[in-house]
Amino acid sequence: MLELQTLVIYGLALTLPAAYLTYRHFLRTSRAVISPAPQESQKSLKSIMQAAREDLAPPKDDPYTTEELKKYDGTTPELPIYVAIKGTIFDVTHKADVYGPGRSYAIFAGKDGSKGLGMSSLKPEHAVADYSGLDEKDRQVLDDWHGFFS
């Protein structure tokens, strides 16, 4: 008698989950046929950036080496503060409260910190120009930053 009970218990333990999964599979299929999701409802990556600003200076066209750019990190009050994004240099002097020494985004002043901006990272090891390893989402964030300053 014990063997019959054991067989029934094992049979139910295997049959009930299989029946449930089969039921869920067919229930989802029938719902998908009844109300398919329109293609327009799929969300694209949403920008986390503010709208473009009118009070920003245009990008710099003058070529700078990495060493030259380091002088414009905000530590010398007479010099402007520059930030480079994807190789384009932007004057952020008017935002010294953000990019100046000791401020939240000072890590990006005087250098091209494209990778860190794309990753939304303030770690010094991420504030480098090479952004080739960024995934699609991080590249979109980087493009948003570039568009914000452009």
Side-chain angles (χ1 to χ4, degrees):
M1 186 70 178
L2 184 61
E3 289 180 26
L4 180 61
Q5 277 184 325
T6 304
L7 287 174
V8 169
I9 291 172
Y10 281 120
L12 287 174
L14 294 174
T15 307
L16 288 177
Y20 175 75
L21 292 174
T22 304
Y23 169 76
R24 293 288 294 173
H25 174 72
F26 288 113
L27 180 65
R28 282 189 183 154
T29 303
S30 66
R31 282 187 184 169
V33 172
I34 293 170
S35 59
Q39 292 291 348
E40 298 82 43
S41 71
Q42 292 181 353
K43 293 183 180 179
S44 62
L45 291 176
K46 187 176 178 181
S47 174
I48 61 170
M49 298 299 297
Q50 301 172 2
R53 296 186 39 185
E54 300 295 323
D55 63 339
L56 296 175
K60 297 288 178 193
D61 290 331
D62 305 332
Y64 287 85
T65 65
T66 304
E67 287 303 312
E68 289 173 321
L69 189 58
K70 286 181 183 178
K71 294 188 296 189
Y72 301 96
D73 63 356
T75 56
T76 307
E78 309 80 55
L79 296 176
I81 302 172
Y82 291 162
V83 169
I85 303 170
K86 294 171 64 173
T88 306
I89 298 172
F90 300 96
D91 185 342
V92 295
T93 307
H94 71 287
K95 296 297 288 177
D97 59 324
V98 177
Y99 294 95
R103 299 302 184 163
S104 57
Y105 285 93
I107 190 71
F108 301 113
K111 66 172 77 170
D112 187 330
S114 295
K115 180 179 179 182
L117 286 168
M119 295 173 64
S120 300
S121 171
L122 297 175
K123 294 180 179 178
E125 62 268 20
H126 293 156
V128 295
D130 181 16
Y131 59 94
S132 61
L134 295 179
D135 62 25
E136 182 182 341
K137 181 181 172 189
D138 290 342
R139 281 185 186 259
Q140 179 63 49
V141 172
L142 180 59
D143 289 343
D144 289 345
W145 273 107
H146 191 273
F148 175 75
F149 283 105
S150 294

